[in-house]
Structure formats: structure tokens, C-alpha cells
Amino acid sequence: MEQKPIFIAGPCVIETMDVLEEVAAELVRLNAKHNLSIYFKASFDKANRTSLQSFRGPGMEKGLQMLSDIKSKYGLQIVTDIHESFQAEPVGQVVDVLQIPAFLCRQTDLLVAAAKTGKIVNIKKAQFLSGNDMQFPVEKVRQSGNENVWLTERGNMYGYNNLAVDFRNIADMKQYTPTVLMDCTHSVQRPGAAGGKTGGDRQFVPAMALAAKAFGASGYFFEIHPNPEVAKSDGPNMLFLKDFDAVITSLL
């Protein structure tokens, strides 16, 4: 029997409990409808925003409590990212997958700390690395005693304020771990291209997912929001929550 793909989905950053609950309730419905196990993702802190004035989130203590509440109430598996080594242990007590942001995928201490939690470590490929370069972040996690490593493709810098995806990276990264995901929303970003914040091209997200499927992706990462037009982070490249069912259907 063919294994169903992994889906990670949720708002870019924790804004309010109402937004988290609206998204979580829809993910529970989609899990039941499609017989999936969708991971809920939201960040308690966006530490690499373009501007100092950009919204970062509620912080680790409050954010982890909100994610824990979502996990308890809706029974969803949780993904969130960490930016500093000291965050790994407390975050690992709450979530199921620790995510390493693309800019930080070579940070040895961060990878080792994440590995030592024993949780799945999802490493996002940096915009400045090839798929084959990701052999070494994977080795850092495994040599620290953790075999549970995922990799995520999210595009490469293409000149200024633009990304391009070389889908061959998916096959290249599968040499190092069997689980390689496609980040379908960050890959359509236009970094720093919207006057002190990041822009994006939401209309290309479904096609990014289908292309990744053709190249053998194990699963897909989507940032979704009830109304991305008013989202506090990454709105231009996030999917509308109401459109997520159709995207999942196209991939199944």
C-alpha cells in the first residue's frame, strides 16, 4: 500500500488563539476526510524578520503554552522552529517535530541540541546551499544520536529579492534521508521585496506542490491562514485556509 504523504500546515506565526483554533479545527476535519496525519505548524518567534518593526510572535513561554493547548484540545502533532540552542530542550517537551530554519541549517550547536531531544528534526535547506550540501547537517544530527531527520526544500536565491526552485534538490537530498518535504509557500517568497518586508506569489503555490510530487517529495509544507491579507507575517505567500482542501485533493 502506498504511503500517504506528510503534510505540515499552519499560520506562519502565532498571532491569536482564535486564529490557531480556526486553523486547527479545519486540519482535524481534513485529517478525517482524507485519512491523513497533518502536522500543525506555527512559530512562537520569527527571529529573522526583515524589519525591527515586524511582528515576531508571543515569545517562547507563552507560545509553547498556546501550542500545548492546541495539541491537547485537537490531538494534532505539532511542529515549530527554534533559533537558539537553549530553546531545544523546552520546545522538545511540547512539540513532535523541531524545525531548523533555512538560514540556520549549518549552525552546529543548534542541530546538536535539537538532536538530543530525540524528536524528529526537520532541517530546511538554506537558500544558499545545494541539495547535496545537506548531507552534512543530516550527519550532524545523526552523529549526535538521532536518526529521525527530515529535510525540506524551499528554493534558492535567484538574483535579488527572488527565489527559484531546482526540483532536482529533492532527489539529491533523498540520498541522505528518505523523508524530503517541499515547502510550497516559502518557495514563492520574494525576500525583502515589499518595502521592509517579504513579498510573495501565492498563485504559484499549488503548482509548486504538484511539481514536487513529480520529483518524488515525501510530503509538503504549507503556511495557511484564514485571511492571509491581514496576516502579521508572510501573508503574500500563504494559502487561504478555505483553499487548502482543494490543494490536498490535487496531491492525493
Side-chain angles (χ1 to χ4, degrees), residues 48-64:
N48 58 356
R49 295 301 305 275
T50 304
S51 167
L52 192 60
Q53 284 69 49
S54 298
F55 180 75
R56 288 182 54 167
M60 186 172 72
E61 184 176 354
K62 183 177 179 181
L64 285 180

Side-chain angles (χ1 to χ4, degrees), residues 35-245:
N35 189 28
L36 299 171
S37 183
I38 303 175
Y39 291 77
F40 180 96
K41 181 268 170 186
S43 299
F44 57 79
D45 180 24
K46 302 299 291 185
N48 58 356
R49 295 301 305 275
T50 304
S51 167
L52 192 60
Q53 284 69 49
S54 298
F55 180 75
R56 288 182 54 167
M60 186 172 72
E61 184 176 354
K62 183 177 179 181
L64 285 180
Q65 184 60 59
M66 294 168 81
L67 292 174
S68 180
D69 291 345
I70 290 293
K71 185 174 186 176
S72 297
K73 182 173 181 179
Y74 294 95
L76 291 163
Q77 299 178 91
I78 304 293
V79 179
T80 198
D81 34 28
I82 58 172
H83 295 85
E84 299 186 67
S85 303
F86 78 87
Q87 296 173 337
E89 183 178 359
V91 173
Q93 293 176 14
V94 173
V95 308
D96 302 277
V97 180
L98 290 170
Q99 186 164 276
I100 307 299
F103 284 127
L104 301 177
C105 74
R106 290 165 51 105
Q107 295 292 100
T108 300
D109 291 344
L110 187 63
L111 290 166
V112 171
K116 288 182 177 178
T117 67
K119 297 298 177 80
I120 296 168
V121 181
N122 181 33
I123 311 171
K124 301 185 81 171
K125 181 184 72 62
Q127 301 90 325
F128 47 84
L129 295 180
S130 71
N132 283 316
D133 291 330
M134 295 306 291
Q135 172 186 351
F136 303 103
V138 169
E139 287 178 353
K140 288 178 182 180
V141 174
R142 288 189 173 145
Q143 290 170 10
S144 301
N146 190 337
E147 294 292 324
N148 301 312
V149 190
W150 297 354
L151 291 174
T152 296
E153 167 63 28
R154 52 99 72 241
N156 284 85
M157 291 305 300
Y158 187 70
Y160 298 111
N161 305 126
N162 204 4
L163 295 171
V165 178
D166 181 349
F167 288 95
R168 295 174 297 181
N169 284 328
I170 293 171
D172 288 342
M173 290 192 289
K174 279 201 159 189
Q175 298 175 83
Y176 312 116
T177 181
T179 305
V180 176
L181 311 179
M182 179 68 205
D183 184 337
C184 305
T185 44
H186 286 99
S187 59
V188 301
Q189 281 182 331
R190 294 190 179 271
K197 57 185 179 180
T198 290
D201 296 305
R202 182 184 305 118
Q203 69 269 27
F204 297 127
V205 169
M208 285 287 183
L210 288 169
K213 179 180 180 180
F215 276 86
S218 312
Y220 312 92
F221 177 109
F222 297 93
E223 289 190 329
I224 56 176
H225 193 283
N227 184 4
E229 302 296 349
V230 299
K232 294 185 177 182
S233 177
D234 272 0
N237 49 270
M238 278 202 282
L239 281 180
F240 280 86
L241 181 61
K242 64 181 176 60
D243 296 331
F244 191 40
D245 193 352

